[in-house]
């Protein structure tokens, strides 16, 4: 689409709803999160506000899912204690750093539980889900079904020990738990057995036609990395996706016969954008989610593309009363000193630590992450570059420009500035 046509299309909207990926509350926020999602979303929100437009910027913590239960087990506390700790830390550091959310809430809020339950229930009542039984790994000692992350074994591809049921971190291959050689439960160490269980599936295979038209024909302006990933998912053929899990941490599946089952974290998390809007604006949230003159933009990292471009839109469309996103700008990843940022290896610059170590220097980091944003490819953050950009660009070039302007204004114009309206 030509830029002018694109601008015409955007000018038809009356307001902009900006969402930013919900950070996972099992650890603090790092510079990769900031560069990928929060700084770009914040710049866009501030820009829209400066133009005097109606804008809403939604954030919040994603607090369900297996890694949080795993962390709680490892630390001998409850999942709620884990998310309480990280939600407060993340919320506080975003505030100090100056990310200008209109609301920063969480997916363990009562509003969210109610909203996510009702959303599932609507699709269930419309008979949109496919109910299906399958054989899944069960720990006979701990008496529980095992999520993929709870199963470890030997990778069938690289034959390294310690691969997870969903992925081998040594070779990066995505796995099915049943592919693992010599699987064992990471809860009890027992050999898991296969046991029958029922789940609800979102029939994405039936969404292929409209998704193809909507993304590949109507949204050719999306960033090449986003458009390309969507195209390859659609071309590969979409498969039904389970939206429930056998777990004790999450939003309970709100139907009969679903005891011990919760909504899959990827079903409940994006509904968090809706819940948080509702929490902020209980009387007018629908204007932001259901009025065709609202332009919705999801800021995310590249690992979330399929969920925001395919799964969540399929959920919204199935529900029937919601708008779809107009754009989903996803950034690539930021590395640190040439190595992939990793929470588990503690290889990151953590935001809360930066704020302690560089008090008052929030905008220096914001500038460096913006100048070096991983918009089209993975970029690298180095402290040497951080120092050089601060000293050469902010202090020398920008600082000098401001200084000269002030000195010369005093020298030639008595320090007076005349504003001319035009
Ligand atoms: Zn492997």
């Amino acid at each position: 689409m030509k830029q002018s046509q694109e601008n015409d299309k955007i000018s038809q909207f009356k307001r902009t709803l900006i969402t930013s990926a919900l950070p996972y509350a099992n650890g603090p926020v790092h510079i990769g999160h900031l560069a990928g999602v929060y700084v770009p979303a914040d710049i866009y929100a501030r820009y829209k506000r400066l133009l005097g437009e109606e804008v809403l910027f939604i954030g919040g913590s994603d607090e369900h899912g297996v890694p949080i239960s795993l962390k709680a087990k490892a630390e001998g506390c409850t999942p709620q204690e884990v998310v309480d700790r990280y939600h407060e830390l993340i919320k506080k550091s975003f505030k100090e750093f100056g990310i200008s959310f209109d609301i920063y809430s969480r997916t363990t809020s009562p509003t969210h539980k109610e909203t996510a339950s009702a959303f599932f229930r609507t699709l269930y009542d419309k008979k949109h889900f496919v109910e299906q039984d399958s054989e899944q790994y069960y720990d006979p000692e701990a008496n529980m079904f095992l999520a993929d992350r709870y199963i470890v074994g030997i990778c069938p591809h690289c034959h390294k020990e310690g691969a997870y049921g969903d992925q081998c971190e040594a070779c990066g291959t995505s796995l099915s738990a049943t592919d693992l050689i010599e699987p064992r439960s990471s809860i009890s160490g027992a050999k898991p057995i296969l046991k029958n269980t029922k789940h609800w599936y979102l029939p994405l295979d039936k969404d292929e036609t409209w998704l193809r038209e909507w993304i590949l024909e109507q949204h050719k302006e999306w960033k090449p990395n986003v458009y390309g990933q969507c195209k390859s998912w659609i071309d590969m053929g979409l498969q039904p996706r389970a939206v429930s899990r056998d777990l004790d941490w999450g939003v309970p599946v709100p139907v009969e016969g679903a005891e011990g089952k919760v909504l899959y974290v990827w079903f409940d998390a994006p509904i968090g954008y809706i819940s948080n809007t509702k929490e902020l604006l209980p009387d007018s949230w629908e204007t932001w989610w259901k009025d065709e003159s609202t332009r919705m933009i999801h800021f995310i990292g590249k690992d979330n593309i399929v969920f925001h471009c395919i799964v969540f839109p399929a959920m919204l469309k199935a529900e029937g009363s919601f708008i779809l996103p107009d754009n989903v700008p996803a950034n690539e990843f930021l590395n640190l000193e040439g190595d992939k940022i990793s929470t588990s290896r503690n290889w990151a610059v953590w935001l809360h630590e930066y704020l302690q170590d560089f008090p008052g220097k929030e905008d220096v980091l914001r500038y460096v992450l913006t100048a070096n944003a991983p918009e089209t490819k993975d970029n690298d953050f180095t402290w040497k570059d951080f120092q050089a950009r601060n000293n050469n660009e902010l202090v020398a070039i920008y600082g000098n420009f401001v200084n000269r302007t002030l000195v010369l204004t005093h020298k030639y114009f008595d320090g007076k500035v005349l504003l001319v309206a035009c």
Side-chain angles (χ1 to χ4, degrees):
M1 200 179 300
K2 290 208 180 71
Q3 195 59 45
S4 59
Q5 283 173 302
E6 175 62 11
N7 288 344
D8 284 350
K9 205 185 92 184
I10 294 171
S11 66
Q12 292 164 8
F13 293 104
K14 289 191 182 137
R15 64 191 76 76
T16 309
L17 173 64
I18 298 169
T19 72
S20 53
L22 306 185
Y24 204 52
N26 71 338
V29 162
H30 56 62
I31 53 168
H33 298 124
L34 292 176
V37 178
Y38 306 103
V39 169
D42 189 57
I43 290 171
Y44 196 61
R46 286 170 183 266
Y47 167 69
K48 286 287 183 186
R49 289 188 197 113
L50 278 174
L51 291 175
E53 293 183 16
E54 226 189 321
V55 51
L56 202 58
F57 180 17
I58 303 293
S61 302
D62 175 5
E63 306 189 314
H64 293 132
V66 176
I68 283 164
S69 325
L70 275 178
K71 188 151 194 128
K73 279 201 167 61
E75 293 184 4
C77 62
T78 64
Q80 189 65 53
E81 284 167 337
V82 172
V83 299
D84 284 349
R85 185 183 342 138
Y86 289 114
H87 171 71
E88 284 313 316
L89 180 66
I90 295 169
K91 186 177 178 177
K92 182 167 170 277
S93 34
F94 275 145
K95 189 165 195 291
E96 287 176 16
F97 186 61
I99 301 295
S100 59
F101 294 118
D102 289 298
I103 181 169
Y104 189 86
S105 189
R106 55 196 307 193
T107 59
T108 53
S109 75
T111 308
H112 177 70
K113 192 176 166 188
E114 189 191 303
T115 308
S117 284
F119 200 106
F120 181 95
R121 190 72 215 194
T122 303
L123 268 58
Y124 179 85
D125 289 343
K126 284 184 156 189
K127 305 205 179 330
H128 186 74
F129 295 125
V130 176
E131 286 183 26
Q132 203 174 303
D133 283 26
S134 64
E135 301 252 285
Q136 296 201 355
Y137 274 135
Y138 185 85
D139 182 329
E141 284 179 25
N143 288 318
M144 61 186 284
F145 278 99
L146 295 167
D148 294 344
R149 276 273 141 172
Y150 284 125
I151 307 164
V152 288
I154 297 167
C155 171
H157 298 276
C158 70
H159 297 280
K160 289 241 167 65
E161 174 54 54
Y164 292 106
D166 57 349
Q167 198 189 24
C168 169
E169 292 194 343
C171 70
T173 311
S174 288
L175 300 173
S176 271
T178 46
D179 296 340
L180 288 177
I181 301 164
E182 293 178 26
R184 61 177 195 284
S185 161
S186 61
I187 311 279
S188 68
K191 185 176 174 358
I193 53 169
L194 285 167
K195 197 172 165 176
N196 196 57
T197 181
K198 178 165 81 175
H199 284 290
W200 290 267
Y201 290 73
L202 196 61
L204 290 178
D205 47 322
K206 292 184 189 148
D207 291 306
E208 199 177 308
T209 311
W210 76 265
L211 281 170
R212 186 178 286 281
E213 165 72 20
W214 175 59
I215 301 174
L216 304 184
E217 296 303 321
Q218 295 171 23
H219 284 294
K220 292 187 174 173
E221 81 283 10
W222 286 6
K223 288 178 65 176
N225 59 339
V226 177
Y227 185 90
Q229 221 186 90
C230 292
K231 185 170 185 324
S232 90
W233 275 88
I234 295 171
D235 286 347
M236 275 192 302
L238 300 170
Q239 303 296 323
R241 231 170 220 266
V243 298
S244 52
R245 287 289 187 272
D246 291 292
L247 256 188
D248 56 3
W249 177 243
V251 177
V253 173
V255 297
E256 289 268 313
E259 288 70 34
K261 295 176 197 291
V262 297
L263 302 184
Y264 176 37
V265 65
W266 257 109
F267 184 86
D268 109 68
I271 297 174
Y273 301 140
I274 304 171
S275 323
N276 296 349
T277 312
K278 214 181 213 182
E279 191 178 320
L280 178 71
L281 303 168
D283 299 323
S284 60
W285 68 274
E286 285 177 299
T287 311
W288 293 92
W289 280 95
K290 301 190 173 186
D291 187 322
E292 291 289 341
S293 62
T294 297
R295 181 170 188 241
M296 175 158 70
I297 312 283
H298 297 309
F299 280 85
I300 56 168
K302 69 172 165 186
D303 50 336
N304 285 341
I305 292 173
V306 62
F307 294 104
H308 284 80
C309 298
I310 291 176
V311 182
F312 189 42
M315 290 162 55
L316 294 171
K317 181 104 170 168
E319 199 278 349
S321 66
F322 288 91
I323 55 167
L324 298 179
D326 188 55
N327 209 328
V328 185
N331 269 354
E332 301 288 298
F333 288 153
L334 187 71
N335 295 322
L336 172 60
E337 304 283 355
D339 194 3
K340 197 170 160 32
I341 294 179
S342 163
T343 301
S344 54
R345 287 185 293 119
N346 195 26
W347 183 251
V349 177
W350 303 105
L351 177 58
H352 66 292
E353 292 184 355
Y354 176 89
L355 293 167
Q356 281 165 11
D357 294 344
F358 295 89
K361 297 283 183 281
E362 295 80 14
D363 285 349
V364 176
L365 183 60
R366 179 185 281 263
Y367 172 75
V368 173
L369 294 179
T370 305
N372 190 26
E375 287 189 290
T376 54
K377 60 173 179 57
D378 290 357
N379 273 355
D380 198 29
F381 177 95
T382 66
W383 284 111
K384 206 169 172 54
D385 178 65
F386 173 87
Q387 186 184 37
R389 286 188 189 273
N390 181 70
N391 295 351
N392 306 339
E393 296 173 16
L394 290 180
V395 177
I397 299 174
Y398 186 66
N400 208 11
F401 165 70
V402 173
N403 184 49
R404 276 180 186 225
T405 309
L406 291 175
V407 167
L408 294 177
T409 307
H410 276 286
K411 187 167 170 189
Y412 295 111
F413 304 102
D414 297 328
K416 285 177 193 151
V417 178
L418 181 65
L419 285 176
V420 181
C422 49

